[in-house]
Structure formats: structure tokens, C-alpha cells
Amino acid sequence: MKKTLLAQWRANFFTGLAVLLPAIASVVLLVWFFGRVANITDMLLFFLPSSLTHKAGGAGEMYWYWSLAALVLAVLLISLMGRLTRYYIGKKMVELLDQGLLRVPLLNKIYLTIKQVNEAFTSNKSSFKQVVLIEFPQPGHRAVGFVTGEQSFQKGNGRIISVFVPTTPNPTSGFLVMVPESGVTKLDMSVAEGIKFIVSLGAIPPEPALVPRVAAETTAQPAALPNLPGAHG
């Protein structure tokens, strides 16, 4: 009887944990992200006295509602900057900012690298939206990756594809693999589905299933036309 009750309690506990864990993890992640962003956006309220925005008469931490106000202010300023870039004065401001940062030693290298990466992943190029399957990390094994570009080498035969193979469950790090075009199999899935597949350790299959696009195209044969009466070739 005790074992039965213990088994029921264990089953109920893990069922409840499976239901609540995504919500709890989402809230914790949101609070953590808000705290990290607040460390930067709080500086936007420099014009207000610290005795008003911080606890203990200015000696403690900033009140959460003032941090939220700073975050909203940051969103408004970013939106305003994006609006200005549509006009001449905004474009000129961006050019002056670029020129100023690129003239600062050491900082110019960091700024240029971050800018190039940002432009690469925010552009509308199709090369950054393709999910592929490659042989990695050794022959006989396969890994899901994302095409980042196409390279041409004088001594090579054909094109070489740059593929980023992310780690799991953290897709922000990974490996840059140079693969011949013949060794790349395109998958019929979106980037979002590919990331979800990697983050979930493969537990969440994409929709449709993980099927090579080439194989799907070759297996789908056109239906034969019916032999209609009176129709002659």
C-alpha cells in the first residue's frame, strides 16, 4: 500500500513538474534578462536624483519600476533612432558615428567585427536562412547546421560552403565547418525549426519531419495523365 501511494505521489510530482517547469523557467529567464538589461538602461536616468530612483535614500539599488521606466525609455530612443535613419539627418548621424568609432584604436576592430556579424545575421540574404545536414564531426556521423556563405578557392574543385554547426542545448557557440557543396544536404525546415530541434536535444522534431529536400523532390513523381477518350498524342 505504501509503495503504491509513493508511486502515485512520484508520478503526480513529476507530472506537475513537467507542466510547471516551462513556465517557471520562462519567468526566471525573463527576470534574469531584465536584470542584465537594467544594468545598462538604468544609466539613462542619470538626470534624476538618486534619492528618488534608488532605495535607502540613493545608496541602495534602483527601484524596479524606475528600471522598467528606463527600459521603456531605451525602447523609445531606439525606435526614434530607427525612424531618423529613414531621413537624411539620421543617415548622416550614423555615418558620423561610424567614422568616429572607426578612428579609435582597438575599439575600431571590435566595433567593425560586431557590425559585420550583426549585418550578416540581420540581412535578408537567403544564405543565412538555410538549414543543412553535413557529415560531422567524423565520417558516418551527421550534424544539423546553418549555411553562412559560399566560398571559392582557386585550388579547389567546385564551391565550398561555410556551415555553422551549433552546440546543444546552447546554440550561441559552435563550429565553423567548410564543406564541399556536394557534401551539403538541404533540409526542408526553417531556421526557427532547426534551432528548436537543436535546443531541445532533438526531442522536438521539426514539422514537417527532418527529410532532405533533394530526397523529397526525387521521390515525389508526377502522376500519370489519364488516357481520356478521344485524346491522341
Side-chain angles (χ1 to χ4, degrees):
M1 186 66 178
K2 291 182 179 180
K3 290 184 178 180
T4 303
L5 292 176
L6 181 60
Q8 292 180 354
W9 173 83
R10 184 191 304 176
N12 293 334
F13 174 79
F14 284 107
T15 301
L17 184 62
V19 172
L20 295 177
L21 188 58
I24 296 174
S26 300
V27 172
V28 171
L29 183 61
L30 182 62
V31 172
W32 175 86
F33 180 76
F34 176 75
R36 301 286 76 77
V37 173
N39 292 334
I40 301 174
T41 57
D42 286 352
M43 295 184 293
L44 294 175
L45 302 181
F46 66 93
F47 55 89
L48 294 177
S50 58
S51 58
L52 176 65
T53 58
H54 290 69
K55 301 177 182 178
E61 298 179 351
M62 180 176 284
Y63 291 106
W64 68 268
Y65 46 85
W66 280 114
S67 294
L68 181 60
L71 179 60
V72 173
L73 179 59
V75 172
L76 293 176
L77 290 176
I78 294 174
S79 302
L80 178 61
M81 187 62 189
R83 182 71 177 179
L84 287 176
T85 53
R86 299 183 180 181
Y87 303 99
Y88 174 79
I89 184 173
K91 295 179 180 178
K92 207 63 179 177
M93 291 172 58
V94 173
E95 291 179 3
L96 293 175
L97 178 63
D98 284 346
Q99 294 175 4
L101 292 176
L102 291 175
R103 290 178 180 176
V104 180
L106 183 61
L107 180 62
N108 56 0
K109 304 297 183 182
I110 301 175
Y111 173 71
L112 185 60
T113 302
I114 296 177
K115 183 179 179 180
Q116 290 175 343
V117 173
N118 179 66
E119 291 177 349
F121 284 95
T122 56
S123 64
N124 293 324
K125 296 180 181 179
S126 59
S127 58
F128 296 102
K129 297 181 181 180
Q130 181 63 60
V131 187
V132 296
L133 198 68
I134 65 171
E135 197 170 39
F136 182 83
Q138 59 187 13
H141 295 75
R142 299 293 186 271
V144 176
F146 304 95
V147 174
T148 59
E150 297 179 359
Q151 317 296 331
S152 297
F153 297 99
Q154 295 180 353
K155 297 182 179 180
N157 296 323
R159 291 184 300 178
I160 301 296
I161 308 297
S162 302
V163 179
F164 173 68
V165 180
T167 55
T168 180
N170 177 21
T172 58
S173 62
F175 304 90
L176 178 61
V177 185
M178 311 298 290
V179 186
E181 187 178 17
S182 59
V184 175
T185 302
K186 297 181 180 180
L187 300 179
D188 190 14
M189 71 170 71
S190 65
V191 172
E193 290 174 333
I195 294 176
K196 181 171 65 175
F197 179 76
I198 292 171
V199 172
S200 66
L201 306 178
I204 303 178
E207 295 292 341
L210 199 155
V211 178
R213 180 176 299 173
V214 176
E217 292 176 353
T218 55
T219 54
Q221 300 294 336
L225 294 175
N227 190 10
L228 298 177
H232 301 282

